[in-house]
Amino acid sequence: MRLLITAGPTHEPIDAVRYLANRSSGRVGIAIAEAARDAGHDVRLLLGPTHLPPPTGVAVDRYTTTAELSTLLDRTFDACDALVMAAAVADYTPALGVADPASTKLQRGDGEITLRLRPTPDLVGGLAARRRPDQRIVAFALEPADTMIDRAAAKLARKRVDAIVANPLGTPDRETIDAAWLAPGAPPERSGEIPKSAFARWLLDRVNALMDS
């Protein structure tokens, strides 16, 4: 199986030295890439800014911003059998009214400043709309624990992906994960609280089953 996996956060530039980010470490996506490599799959990992080293034995492309990730996905998606979209893509990016915010630096003033944000594109939704019938897409949803199943189910229907992995807020800061696998027409499956390396193997079993369906 040719697996395309995304991992890590995006950094959205405010100016030459500042950016908007989230707390994703990329650990889950890297673990999935390692488990897929160990299972003998052909793996390509799109990896965002993280302090963790990329796994050996897989093709790795690096990105920083949502726009850069979008470009990489456009270039690599057609060659994969399944996409596991584990990256924590920013929902918003600064709208500063300048062509290249990375070339400027906001200066300290005497009062408050207002930072306007604009939505980033729905990357996984766009890929779902153009995929081939033989391709499978697994999305991720980070949600409050008490509502994550309902919110993930709504995303599953809205984005029209093959499955979605729901995990609770706080997951990026932990070594373990307690996730749920949601697929159309089936009840949610819970992983239980397990290390992220074990979760990667648990997830890969379900991706393999998706390819056989």
Side-chain angles (χ1 to χ4, degrees), residues 108-122:
R108 184 189 298 273
D110 294 329
E112 297 180 352
I113 64 170
T114 298
L115 180 64
R116 295 187 303 111
L117 304 178
R118 56 180 171 82
T120 55
D122 181 356

Side-chain angles (χ1 to χ4, degrees), residues 156 182-188:
L156 178 67
L182 288 81

Side-chain angles (χ1 to χ4, degrees), residues 166-205:
N167 54 104
L169 299 180
T171 297
D173 296 323
R174 294 159 60 185
E175 298 289 335
T176 60
I177 185 172
D178 182 9
W181 170 274
L182 288 81
E189 297 181 62
R190 296 299 295 256
S191 68
E193 190 81 28
I194 55 176
K196 290 179 177 177
S197 57
F199 164 77
R201 296 187 293 271
W202 180 89
L203 174 66
L204 195 58
D205 287 343

Side-chain angles (χ1 to χ4, degrees), residues 61-129:
D61 294 303
R62 302 302 297 256
Y63 66 85
T64 300
T65 66
T66 299
E68 290 171 352
L69 175 56
S70 179
T71 298
L72 285 174
L73 286 167
D74 284 342
R75 194 175 78 203
T76 57
F77 178 67
D78 289 344
C80 81
D81 298 311
L83 166 65
V84 178
M85 192 73 174
V89 181
D91 292 322
Y92 292 91
T93 191
L96 299 176
V98 294
D100 181 14
S103 68
T104 65
K105 182 177 184 294
L106 298 176
Q107 300 298 321
R108 184 189 298 273
D110 294 329
E112 297 180 352
I113 64 170
T114 298
L115 180 64
R116 295 187 303 111
L117 304 178
R118 56 180 171 82
T120 55
D122 181 356
L123 301 186
V124 73
L127 294 171

Side-chain angles (χ1 to χ4, degrees), residues 22-43:
N22 57 61
R23 290 157 68 179
S24 172
S25 66
R27 192 180 305 278
V28 166
I30 290 172
I32 296 168
E34 290 173 336
R37 175 203 61 197
D38 294 345
H41 297 298
D42 181 359
V43 182

